[in-house]
Amino acid sequence: MELALIDFDNTVTTCDTYARFLRRVATPEQLAQAWWKVGPWLLAYRLKLISARRIRARVTWLVMRNRHADDIAAQAAGFSREVLPDVVRPKMLEQIRWHLQQKHTVVIVSGSLDLYLRTWCEALGLDLICNRLESRDSRLTGCYADGDCGPHKVDRIRARYDLSRYVRIHAYGDSSEDRPMLALAHERWYRGKPLK
């Protein structure tokens, strides 16, 4: 048995789909306020003063808080159908299909949202570890149901899979959040290049 652990944004895709999804579902009022509510945080992130985890939590809370869960789920289904096919890297899709043909267990491990990733993964027959949004009385709270998966990818992987059962583990990533996951693997690729 072999296991393939694959980050999604900027690894499988050519862009950050999480940011694109949040922009797509943001209300006109949220978009109008984005500059002063998100701008300073985004600048701090680009200057490496705050982590991806903090900016992700902040923007998710601002966009998703008190939104109707069914409405966001419907928009996510459309995003999965209409946007994801155009941003998936053909070479990575080919690599995923190769792993599946070899009967490997293939897992997308992402800090992005299950709302749009689940549909895409189910269509290909992939397992999924990612962020889920918390809801109460059909309204989203803007928080993650189980905390942010991004910095805890390895913990989530170990909780779901007995790694000792796999004779070979493959891992693909592109960011510092992926490095602990890459360290689990026998064969690892960082930004499309093999690591020794």
Side-chain angles (χ1 to χ4, degrees), residues 105-124:
T105 300
V106 182
V107 190
I108 296 297
V109 186
S110 176
S112 291
L113 297 173
D114 68 329
L115 288 167
Y116 61 86
L117 285 177
R118 186 183 307 114
T119 304
W120 188 83
C121 287
E122 286 174 355
L124 289 168

Side-chain angles (χ1 to χ4, degrees), residues 7-26 56 59-60 63-64 75-76 79-89 108-118 120-121 128 130 174:
D7 171 60
F8 192 71
D9 282 346
N10 295 305
T11 300
V12 172
T13 65
T14 58
C15 64
D16 182 343
T17 62
Y18 196 15
R20 279 194 182 195
F21 178 67
L22 291 176
R23 281 194 301 272
R24 181 178 172 126
V25 301
R56 197 164 43 232
V59 177
T60 300
V63 173
M64 297 298 187
Q75 291 187 62
F79 183 83
S80 186
R81 276 190 321 272
E82 298 158 17
V83 176
L84 293 187
D86 293 335
V87 298
V88 169
R89 296 176 192 270
I108 296 297
V109 186
S110 176
S112 291
L113 297 173
D114 68 329
L115 288 167
Y116 61 86
L117 285 177
R118 186 183 307 114
W120 188 83
C121 287
L128 176 63
C130 67
D174 77 294

Side-chain angles (χ1 to χ4, degrees), residues 31-95:
L31 289 171
Q33 296 173 352
W35 176 249
W36 60 274
K37 283 191 174 181
V38 179
W41 286 70
L42 192 56
L43 179 61
Y45 170 70
R46 289 192 176 146
L47 293 172
K48 300 185 188 299
L49 299 174
I50 63 171
S51 66
R53 178 188 61 79
R54 287 191 64 201
I55 188 79
R56 197 164 43 232
R58 169 77 174 171
V59 177
T60 300
W61 185 81
L62 287 169
V63 173
M64 297 298 187
R65 184 174 46 99
N66 208 29
R67 302 289 296 276
H68 198 282
D70 289 342
D71 176 51
I72 297 297
Q75 291 187 62
F79 183 83
S80 186
R81 276 190 321 272
E82 298 158 17
V83 176
L84 293 187
D86 293 335
V87 298
V88 169
R89 296 176 192 270
K91 190 170 183 178
M92 276 307 299
L93 187 55
E94 184 180 316
Q95 188 69 21

Side-chain angles (χ1 to χ4, degrees), residues 116-173:
Y116 61 86
L117 285 177
R118 186 183 307 114
T119 304
W120 188 83
C121 287
E122 286 174 355
L124 289 168
L126 310 178
D127 290 354
L128 176 63
I129 294 173
C130 67
N131 282 323
R132 294 182 313 110
L133 292 178
E134 178 183 72
S135 65
R136 291 190 192 124
D137 301 321
S138 300
R139 294 276 174 183
L140 298 173
T141 66
C143 299
Y144 298 122
D146 305 309
D148 187 355
C149 173
H152 303 288
K153 289 181 177 183
V154 168
D155 295 336
R156 303 276 177 95
I157 292 164
R158 289 187 186 281
R160 190 174 307 174
Y161 302 95
D162 177 359
L163 300 183
S164 67
R165 295 180 58 223
Y166 296 94
V167 295
R168 199 137 199 85
I169 299 173
H170 310 259
Y172 304 80

Side-chain angles (χ1 to χ4, degrees), residues 1-6 95-107 124-127 161 166-170 172 187 189:
M1 288 175 51
E2 297 193 27
L3 178 67
L5 305 167
I6 307 172
Q95 188 69 21
I96 289 168
R97 288 185 170 137
W98 177 83
H99 282 295
L100 292 170
Q101 288 167 356
Q102 306 307 308
K103 307 294 186 205
H104 299 167
T105 300
V106 182
V107 190
L124 289 168
L126 310 178
D127 290 354
Y161 302 95
Y166 296 94
V167 295
R168 199 137 199 85
I169 299 173
H170 310 259
Y172 304 80
E187 294 185 28
W189 287 264

